[in-house]
Amino acid sequence: MKRSHKKALLITAALAFTAQAAAAGKVEIFSWWAGDEGPALEALIKLYEAKYPNVKVDNATVSGGAGTNAKAVLKTRMLGGTPPDSFQAHAGQELIGTWVVADRMEDLSSLFKSEGWDKVFPKDVLSLISTGGKEWSVPVNVHRSNVMWYNPAKLKEWGVSAPTTWAQFLTTCTTLKGKGVAAPLVMGENWTEQHLWESVMVGSLGSAGWQNLWSGKMKFTDPKVVAAFDTYGKVLDCANKDASGLSWQQASDRIADGTSAFNIMGDWAAGYFTTTKKLKPGTGFGWSASPGTNGTFVMLADSFGLPKGAKDRAEAVNWLKVLGSKQGQDTFNPLKGSIAARTDSDISKYNVYSQSAAKDWRSNKIVGSMVHGAVAPESFMSAFGAVIDQFVASKDSAAATAAAQELATRSKIGQ
Ligand code: GAL
């Protein structure tokens, strides 16, 4: 055999081997974006697979809003030494206070440098994903928690407008009940009750008061917090009685079909209304800042990290690169209802709801969400659900605030 021929054969064999190895590439991405919540993630996966055609994404989801079920499964896997290659977590204390302090995550600082991310993510977002001067996860979006959703045609029919304070909300609630609307407010399972609680607190205490609660400057037992719980109790009286059996999507459905007038939910509801239900923002559904929170943007960000011991590390790093890229963020977010975490996003790709959120994101006072991981550690978040459950049943503000303070002390909030 001629030498050149032999060399060619060897090269072909080597290439075939590489292609085979690459074809077997895979990466497991873990999140709670299943079913109705899936389209944005699926679009991102499609983009990844187009960029890396030899890698198959294993889209591992555990359904359940706000990650209530997924977080429990993740914990078992992390502690059992079988982490997914990359997983969804909220930017902030949820990831930092759990998996970063436990030394289970890789430091992503060099990736932030090489991708230029330290320049394209805003300071508020960078500080949420950093500790000790290092970055620990890549944010794919910014969601807003304090939004009130309604059905514009139904409000018109009932002759009411969207209330701008909680006092006004209660008056509107009485008016609507008088018109035969049994549940002016629709709520879902436990975490959505906490979500409503968060909006009532920010609307009652103001953005500074809310921040003081998490820095430890204001105690849960402060009379202002007790009074805010009283308001929350009255707001709950406007809600449906079958809340515990409803997912957040089912609660949103009751706005779309005109059963209830208002729902307080994060702007993944906008993604659901537009992407899943094909409703038009402004006519199919309306929105305003939840009562008392105009000018404040309660934010959270979904972020993906790289656990130590990830089996498909190189593919996972590429996943992070795609979701942190401008193209990745502008593929994912228009479907999700969130806005890009990056500052250079192409806003013309977004609908009018998201454009209004982007404007508020730039001009409002930014504070973090508790329910969605930004301001409190998992130890507080996971136990707070029981405090709210108790309160929903008893409406005892003194008992609830005392229990919340005990929990805050135990979780070292503000210490
Ligand atoms: C949030 C999450 C959102 C959305 C929502 C409902 O915690 O950040 O992206 O998935 O839960 O499940």
Side-chain angles (χ1 to χ4, degrees):
M1 196 184 290
K2 266 198 197 154
R3 253 179 92 184
S4 60
H5 194 189
K6 199 170 164 191
K7 199 170 161 197
L9 277 178
L10 279 175
I11 293 174
T12 320
L15 283 177
F17 178 75
T18 323
Q20 214 179 32
K26 61 172 178 47
V27 62
E28 186 195 10
I29 306 301
F30 183 90
S31 78
W32 58 86
W33 290 327
D36 279 344
E37 287 221 68
L41 176 64
E42 282 150 24
L44 196 58
I45 289 176
K46 217 165 136 197
L47 177 66
Y48 177 91
E49 289 183 336
K51 283 190 191 298
Y52 302 97
N54 295 318
V55 182
K56 181 92 196 80
V57 175
D58 174 7
N59 184 7
T61 54
V62 176
S63 64
T68 38
N69 307 325
K71 285 195 258 175
V73 174
L74 177 70
K75 191 169 176 185
T76 313
R77 292 191 55 176
M78 292 290 275
L79 298 180
T82 53
D85 293 320
S86 183
F87 62 85
Q88 173 192 8
H90 289 120
Q93 279 309 304
E94 184 180 305
L95 183 76
I96 304 267
T98 312
W99 302 121
V100 175
V101 294
D103 197 24
R104 301 279 175 155
M105 303 303 293
E106 284 203 34
D107 165 15
L108 300 176
S109 309
S110 59
L111 188 63
F112 268 70
K113 263 214 186 72
S114 57
E115 295 298 300
W117 289 336
D118 31 9
K119 310 229 160 38
V120 293
F121 291 122
K123 264 211 322 281
D124 281 318
V125 172
L126 282 173
S127 76
L128 270 184
I129 54 166
S130 308
T131 183
K134 295 171 178 165
E135 288 97 357
W136 299 95
S137 66
V138 185
V140 68
N141 64 6
V142 167
H143 264 306
R144 186 177 196 176
S145 139
N146 60 317
V147 191
M148 183 167 71
W149 307 97
Y150 52 85
N151 179 328
K154 291 302 286 186
L155 291 203
K156 197 163 172 217
E157 183 188 315
W158 289 318
V160 298
S161 48
T164 57
T165 64
W166 285 110
Q168 235 179 61
F169 178 92
L170 295 174
T171 315
T172 309
C173 169
T174 310
T175 310
L176 286 167
K177 280 189 172 171
K179 296 193 176 192
V181 183
L185 176 70
V186 62
M187 220 170 50
E189 55 186 318
N190 178 286
W191 74 265
T192 76
E193 298 172 354
Q194 296 182 57
H195 190 106
L196 168 68
W197 171 86
E198 175 164 293
S199 263
V200 176
M201 290 297 127
V202 180
S204 307
L205 304 172
S207 52
W210 175 251
Q211 283 176 313
N212 288 344
L213 213 49
W214 304 110
S215 67
K217 269 196 209 147
M218 179 151 71
K219 296 258 177 288
F220 278 85
T221 44
D222 188 291
K224 288 198 203 99
V225 184
V226 179
F229 262 83
D230 289 343
T231 305
Y232 177 51
K234 290 181 190 147
V235 171
L236 289 175
D237 290 336
C238 298
N240 50 318
K241 301 284 174 252
D242 59 349
S244 63
L246 296 188
S247 66
W248 70 265
Q249 292 95 328
Q250 288 168 321
S252 302
D253 287 344
R254 294 204 185 163
I255 297 301
D257 68 18
T259 310
S260 284
F262 304 113
N263 178 225
I264 308 290
M265 190 38 59
D267 51 13
W268 41 92
Y272 176 67
F273 286 140
T274 55
T275 307
T276 306
K277 304 214 77 162
K278 310 284 177 228
L279 297 174
K280 246 186 119 188
T283 47
F285 66 96
W287 66 89
S288 57
S290 53
T293 70
N294 200 18
T296 297
F297 191 115
V298 184
M299 67 84 61
L300 59 121
D302 293 299
S303 226
F304 284 74
L306 184 61
K308 287 187 173 168
K311 278 207 203 80
D312 306 291
R313 189 182 179 283
E315 290 77 9
V317 170
N318 287 338
W319 164 254
L320 297 177
K321 285 185 184 166
V322 171
L323 72 85
S325 70
K326 181 172 168 177
Q327 190 190 10
Q329 305 224 333
D330 284 345
T331 298
F332 177 87
N333 289 299
L335 298 169
K336 185 67 168 65
S338 38
I339 52 174
R342 293 176 66 113
T343 47
D344 59 354
S345 144
D346 178 358
I347 201 66
S348 70
K349 294 205 160 95
Y350 292 73
N351 65 36
V352 288
Y353 165 73
S354 297
Q355 290 183 354
S356 80
K359 190 163 157 256
D360 289 349
W361 170 244
R362 281 193 302 271
S363 58
N364 280 6
K365 169 91 191 143
I366 309 295
V367 299
S369 160
M370 183 283 284
V371 188
H372 305 282
V375 292
E378 190 65 31
S379 55
F380 182 92
M381 291 164 63
S382 53
F384 188 66
V387 175
I388 290 297
D389 260 350
Q390 269 264 294
F391 181 77
V392 171
S394 70
K395 306 276 166 65
D396 185 341
S397 303
T401 49
Q405 185 50 46
E406 213 185 293
L407 198 54
T409 309
R410 239 190 299 140
S411 304
K412 302 197 173 7
I413 283 172
Q415 289 169 37

